[in-house]
Amino acid sequence: MLTPPAWLLRGLRPQPAPIPWAAVVRASIAMAAPIAVGLATGQVVYGALVSMGALSGVIGDTADAYRMRIFNIAVPQLFGAIGVMAGTQVYGQGWVAVGVLTLVALVSGMMSTIGAVASVSGLLLLLNSVVGAGLPMPGPWWKAPLLLTLGGALVLVLALLGWPWRGRVPEREAVAATYRSAAELYAAAGTDAYPERRRDVTRALDTAYDLILARRTREHGRSGPLVRLLAQLNVVIPLVEAAAAAHLYGKASRRPEIASAVRELASAVSEGRTGHIDLELPEPQGPADRAVETALRHAAGVVHDGDPDPYNIDDRLGRPAALRVRARRAARNVLLSEASWRYGLRLALCIGLAQALVSLVPVPRSYWVALTVTFVLKPDFGSVFSRAVMRALGTAAGLVVAAVVLSAVPRGWWDVPVMVVLAALIPAFSAKGYAFQTAAITPVILLLSDQLNHMGYGLVLPRLLDSLIGCAIALVAGYLLWPESWHTRIGDRLADAVADTARYVDCAFGQSEDQMQRVRLRRRLYRDLSVVRSEFQRALTEPPPTGRRAAAWWPLVVAVERIVDATTAARVRVSHGAQAPQPYETDEIAAQLRELADGLRSSETLVEVVTHLGGDEEGVLAPLRQEVTAARAIASPQP
């Protein structure tokens, strides 16, 4: 019996994610209402274009905080309007269209390496350029960009309806979520579930800090509610650090009263309650327990302080630079970055080939070829190879739905309820995986395209063939021709994390007493390890040899995370009464980690290393030495 390969099954497995019901409702209204208005006014094409713009807004509607929604939706819409404007100017112009879209692809690819908002902006810039160059648009030149922008504006308005009543709720809920995840971390202390709960805490802290610090870059005054949220967020970090000690050494700190107390703090943050609260905590039985009690009582004091000192609040990750400075820095990095140029050139080559096939070869091809290339090569969706496969499978599933709709549902007012259902599936399926998102978007785009070119059921099979051609172009010109695609760089990324871990060991037990530096290094290290874990998970969806190598190295990722936890636990114990280690002990551990990092950079295979770490077997660093020894043992060839 034939079974699909493991890397393919990983990509097809739906991710466990809740359905974003508010986004589902917004998508249904924003994409169905323009079609209804177009039918009512006799301007069906206009309604389809507004709905197409709403689709772009739905794709970018990924933030919770209202101010971030403005940024995430409005900025990509601006680039989408520029894209469709450029595309309509070269519609049906052969080599001119090829040249313009290739240049747009270069710019789009380089933009996509800046960050999440720039990535979506680059996607819509290229996506709308391809659509404008491939579909007839109503004149004059400004009409199509305006209609598409109206669709995005409709999504933005719907997303901001609750702002007057829930202005700070997303930020407050993000901070409360960090306390809830910390409570689950303490509940899992001493069990096998602890590593996964600790990763949940990292994700919650990253999300909350991104929201709070992004807002502080725009509010230069010391806003009372914002300062309070930041103070409440900062004191989660000592709680998380103490949890590492509780996991390895805790006694009283593993009792359920600790997790219950943290959950009570989460409720207070979520409800905005102030006032003193008495914590009934078990009696500490060692340095680890004392660290937990100290961190918890300090957090309780800050959470219930209705008016924290605005001049005694530090941003534990460092306050971001002004927007102007970050924009200038991002532009410089893009123009001087080899990775940026490499990705831009790769995308430009593939779009150039796809558009040449569409514009110059006398075979009935459509904009769908270049559209497929655009989605497959988007940099933050996963590996190129698996995206191409997922795109083909997702498109096939979406075309089955489109075939039923286009053949069985009469055009006209029936398009409105159909769009209500299909649009709702986009946010619901997008969180499940790329293949599911593709399957949801495909019938929507085909239904809107039919409003513009009136091909009906005849769209289905040609679009499937176009998708397969686009996937083939992306695989050959965007994957096989670029050695770094199939000679993975996951070893380099892991080596950087190991080297940072060595610096963390030095900082935790070195001569410096800069606590803020240690906290920031630890937070950055956990964030980087989260990125490394994501990179490895993407690599696992690649076929051999990349996927096989990632699977072999995966235990080392887990080992590095354990090393960081052991370092934090040791530092916490020392801060609460345990005997500090000798300098030679930490120097030897840091040297072993640097040697491991150098070995990972110099080899694509794991090499055998025999490690002998000396020191007090009863000392505070004994568990850390065990974790380092285990990591070096993992970095050895398997028989």
Side-chain angles (χ1 to χ4, degrees):
M1 179 179 178
L2 295 177
T3 58
W7 61 267
L8 180 59
L9 291 177
R10 289 190 188 99
L12 289 174
R13 188 178 297 120
Q15 300 298 318
I19 296 177
W21 291 109
V24 166
V25 173
R26 284 196 298 271
S28 294
I29 296 174
M31 297 185 64
I35 293 179
V37 173
L39 290 169
T41 59
Q43 299 290 345
V44 177
V45 172
Y46 291 1
L49 286 174
V50 174
S51 185
M52 194 173 292
L55 173 61
S56 301
V58 168
I59 294 175
D61 184 17
T62 57
D64 291 324
Y66 290 101
R67 291 173 183 267
M68 294 299 293
R69 284 177 179 171
I70 297 176
F71 199 63
N72 285 10
I73 297 176
V75 173
Q77 287 298 318
L78 172 62
F79 283 93
I82 295 173
V84 76
M85 195 182 307
T88 54
Q89 298 304 307
V90 297
Y91 173 74
Q93 295 192 26
W95 278 113
V96 176
V98 174
V100 169
L101 288 188
T102 301
L103 179 61
V104 171
L106 175 64
V107 174
S108 171
M110 296 181 70
M111 284 176 54
S112 296
T113 62
I114 297 175
V117 175
S119 177
V120 176
S121 299
L123 171 69
L124 293 187
L125 173 67
L126 180 56
L127 188 70
N128 286 0
S129 296
V130 169
V131 171
L135 287 174
M137 296 289 173
W141 63 268
W142 50 265
K143 187 170 290 186
L146 177 61
L147 292 171
L148 288 171
T149 304
L150 285 176
L154 177 58
V155 176
L156 182 58
V157 169
L158 292 174
L160 298 180
L161 285 178
W163 196 355
W165 299 275
R166 303 180 72 250
R168 294 187 186 271
V169 170
E171 288 88 348
R172 190 168 67 240
E173 282 301 314
V175 175
T178 64
Y179 280 85
R180 295 189 191 100
S181 62
E184 297 306 315
L185 185 67
Y186 276 100
T191 71
D192 293 338
Y194 178 87
E196 185 58 38
R197 299 290 79 77
R198 199 254 307 130
R199 287 188 283 272
D200 292 342
V201 172
T202 298
R203 285 189 288 268
L205 280 170
D206 289 346
T207 300
Y209 267 116
D210 286 344
L211 288 178
I212 301 297
L213 296 183
R215 186 158 185 170
R216 289 205 76 184
T217 63
R218 291 183 291 272
E219 295 187 11
H220 296 286
R222 292 189 175 265
S223 165
L226 190 60
V227 166
R228 185 176 181 223
L229 286 176
L230 182 58
Q232 293 171 344
L233 183 58
N234 281 342
V235 294
V236 176
I237 292 178
L239 269 177
V240 175
E241 290 180 339
H247 173 60
L248 294 176
Y249 309 103
K251 295 177 182 177
S253 53
R254 293 185 185 180
R255 291 175 56 177
E257 293 96 313
I258 301 295
S260 297
V262 181
R263 291 191 186 98
E264 173 61 26
L265 296 182
S267 299
V269 172
S270 179
E271 298 166 10
R273 286 190 276 115
T274 60
H276 181 69
I277 183 173
D278 291 325
L279 295 178
E280 297 182 1
L281 304 178
E283 187 69 23
Q285 301 180 38
D289 295 340
R290 286 196 295 270
V292 171
E293 183 184 42
T294 300
L296 190 49
R297 292 194 183 281
H298 178 54
V302 171
V303 166
H304 294 92
D305 184 359
D307 188 22
D309 181 3
Y311 297 99
N312 193 31
I313 299 297
D314 292 316
D315 298 345
R316 292 296 176 93
L317 294 183
R319 184 167 178 170
L323 181 60
R324 181 181 66 260
V325 175
R326 285 183 290 154
R328 186 167 60 246
R329 186 183 303 157
R332 183 176 65 250
N333 291 341
V334 166
L335 293 176
L336 300 179
S337 168
E338 180 184 350
S340 173
W341 280 99
R342 186 187 299 116
Y343 176 70
L345 291 172
R346 182 191 305 191
L347 183 58
L349 172 63
C350 293
I351 290 295
L353 291 174
Q355 192 61 32
L357 177 65
V358 170
S359 302
L360 306 176
V361 178
V363 176
R365 295 270 64 83
S366 75
Y367 70 98
W368 202 268
V369 178
L371 204 68
T372 298
V373 171
T374 301
F375 279 113
V376 169
L377 285 179
K378 190 175 187 300
D380 51 357
F381 275 0
S383 77
V384 171
F385 188 94
S386 64
R387 279 204 308 275
V389 177
M390 296 302 112
R391 174 76 183 179
L393 295 176
T395 299
L399 287 174
V400 170
V401 176
V404 173
V405 171
L406 293 175
S407 62
V409 179
R411 302 277 65 80
W413 282 100
W414 278 104
D415 289 339
V416 178
V418 168
M419 184 57 71
V420 167
V421 175
L422 294 180
L425 296 179
I426 295 176
F429 279 20
S430 292
K432 301 297 181 182
Y434 181 63
F436 298 92
Q437 183 189 52
T438 301
I441 290 178
T442 296
V444 171
I445 296 181
L446 284 177
L447 187 62
L448 295 176
S449 298
D450 186 53
Q451 304 284 352
L452 300 176
N453 54 23
H454 308 291
M455 289 182 61
Y457 183 78
L459 280 171
V460 176
L461 290 180
R463 292 302 178 265
L464 177 59
L465 181 58
D466 291 344
S467 293
L468 295 177
I469 293 173
C471 290
I473 291 174
L475 281 176
V476 175
Y479 181 78
L480 296 178
L481 295 183
W482 302 82
E484 68 270 16
S485 299
W486 38 279
H487 290 301
T488 178
R489 293 185 62 251
I490 54 178
D492 291 341
R493 295 183 176 94
L494 182 56
D496 292 340
V498 174
D500 288 341
T501 303
R503 284 193 288 273
Y504 179 50
V505 171
D506 283 335
C507 183
F509 302 102
Q511 298 298 319
S512 174
E513 295 296 331
D514 188 349
Q515 182 181 0
M516 286 300 99
Q517 180 185 2
R518 185 167 64 246
V519 168
R520 287 171 182 160
L521 181 57
R522 176 188 170 277
R523 287 285 303 118
R524 189 180 68 188
L525 182 54
Y526 272 123
R527 181 182 286 227
D528 291 345
L529 283 172
S530 178
V531 173
V532 169
R533 175 175 283 269
S534 298
E535 290 292 334
F536 267 80
Q537 288 172 335
R538 291 178 183 179
L540 289 172
T541 64
E542 295 268 15
T546 300
R548 186 184 301 120
R549 187 180 301 122
W553 286 27
W554 177 256
L556 191 56
V557 178
V558 178
V560 174
E561 293 175 336
R562 291 172 62 91
I563 290 172
V564 178
D565 283 340
T567 304
T568 301
R571 177 65 256 180
V572 168
R573 291 184 70 207
V574 170
S575 299
H576 289 81
Q579 180 65 39
Q582 296 297 319
Y584 80 89
E585 295 182 80
T586 58
D587 291 344
E588 190 175 7
I589 290 173
Q592 286 287 336
L593 291 172
R594 292 190 181 94
E595 184 180 321
L596 175 59
D598 293 339
L600 293 175
R601 290 192 182 95
S602 62
S603 176
E604 290 193 358
T605 59
L606 301 179
V607 293
E608 185 174 5
V609 175
V610 179
T611 303
H612 298 289
L613 289 172
D616 184 4
E617 292 302 322
E618 301 297 327
V620 71
L621 292 187
L624 177 56
R625 283 194 296 272
Q626 294 172 7
E627 296 297 347
V628 173
T629 301
R632 304 307 303 270
I634 291 172
S636 61
Q638 300 299 315

